[in-house]
Amino acid sequence: MTHRKYLKEKKRIVVKVGTSLITYENGKINLPRMERLAMVLADLQNRGKEIILVSSGAVGMGVGMIGLEERPRDVVMKQALAAIGQVGLIRLYQKFFDEYNKVVAQLLLTRDGIENSLRRKNARNTLLQLLEMGIIPIINENDTVITDEIEFGDNDTLSAAVATLIQADLLLILTNTDGVFTADPHFNLSATKVPKVMKASSDLKDVDLNGSSKMGKGGMASKIAAAELCREHNVDVVIADGTDPYTILDILEGKDLGTFFVSDATSQMAG
């Protein structure tokens, strides 16, 4: 609790949601969950928080929109589905945020847009300007044009890159488990949760990192890697269950939910 009390003070917050959270197993969009997510994020902005949403789901939405039973493996097909699905995804977000009088903006990024110094500066300036204007940026990887050389690979990595780019106070990685467990709790009933990580090499030495969702790409390994990247840049991270978006509010109240990756800056504040 000593470290978690500082979560109340976080102002600039990046929230990452994966495909498995906003779609059902058949690829169709989980409309009630998306609407609750929009309401929670709109409420946080009303409280004075700066909110950035990193959302997967373009390919998954494309799968559902044209009636496929599963995510294809063919790269060109996935890129086509991303082009189809991204339109539907941002349209839904815009509709839900409109209900709470919030304006959203869409940013599609690739790795070179963060690593190239000029593009990095432009991306950072654009995001900071949007936040200053009271806009909620919605970010996804530009799956339609990516190649192996310029892709993030998953939106966990993208969310960490965004969080460090704009010097966020907190990254919330929302998934379908309550944080990091010693094994996949969906299949191993003896798995136990790791509530806090101060040093990954010791705190996570017994963790089995296998497992990923049917519709998404990132497993727990990518989430931990993203969290560690953020900790190196003094950004706190919480990996938590996002099946109920109201959990976000509980986390920011300091409740013991998910796994809290504590940055050195927060650790020093806590003494």
Side-chain angles (χ1 to χ4, degrees), residues 58 61-63 65-66 77 79-89 144:
M61 174 162 258
V63 167
M65 287 173 70
I66 66 172
M77 184 61 174
Q79 291 178 323
L81 289 171
I84 296 167
Q86 187 63 38
V87 175
L89 185 67
T144 300

Side-chain angles (χ1 to χ4, degrees), residues 127-229:
L127 279 167
L128 293 180
Q129 182 63 50
L130 289 169
L131 293 177
E132 185 177 331
M133 295 167 64
I135 309 298
I136 297 177
I138 300 176
I139 302 173
N140 198 359
E141 184 159 23
N142 194 348
D143 289 322
T144 300
V145 301
I146 57 171
T147 62
D148 290 341
E149 291 77 21
I150 64 172
E151 72 170 343
F152 287 99
D154 58 74
N155 274 4
D156 299 316
T157 306
L158 172 59
S159 67
V162 169
T164 57
L165 175 68
I166 60 171
Q167 296 176 301
D169 299 312
L170 176 65
L171 169 61
L172 291 177
I173 299 179
L174 301 181
T175 182
N176 56 4
T177 59
D178 186 30
V180 180
F181 283 73
T182 52
D184 190 333
H186 296 109
F187 302 103
N188 190 333
L189 297 179
S190 64
T192 57
K193 188 178 81 170
V194 180
K196 183 168 64 176
V197 175
M198 306 291 289
K199 187 176 181 180
S201 60
S202 57
D203 295 341
L204 300 178
K205 64 181 180 356
D206 297 323
V207 172
D208 178 1
L209 297 178
N210 293 321
S212 62
S213 68
K214 177 182 177 183
M215 297 301 295
K217 290 190 290 185
M220 190 54 71
S222 71
K223 292 170 177 56
I224 292 173
E228 282 298 291
L229 174 63

Side-chain angles (χ1 to χ4, degrees), residues 13-15 37-46 49-54 90 93-94 96-98 100-107 126-127 129-139:
I13 302 169
V14 177
V15 178
L37 176 66
M39 187 189 73
V40 168
L41 298 185
D43 183 65
L44 286 175
Q45 195 192 61
N46 287 344
K49 309 291 188 182
E50 295 178 341
I51 301 298
I52 303 93
L53 175 61
V54 176
I90 199 67
Y93 273 126
Q94 188 172 37
F96 291 135
F97 278 105
D98 275 348
Y100 304 101
N101 298 313
K102 298 299 179 185
V103 178
V104 300
Q106 175 181 256
L107 287 84
T126 298
L127 279 167
Q129 182 63 50
L130 289 169
L131 293 177
E132 185 177 331
M133 295 167 64
I135 309 298
I136 297 177
I138 300 176
I139 302 173

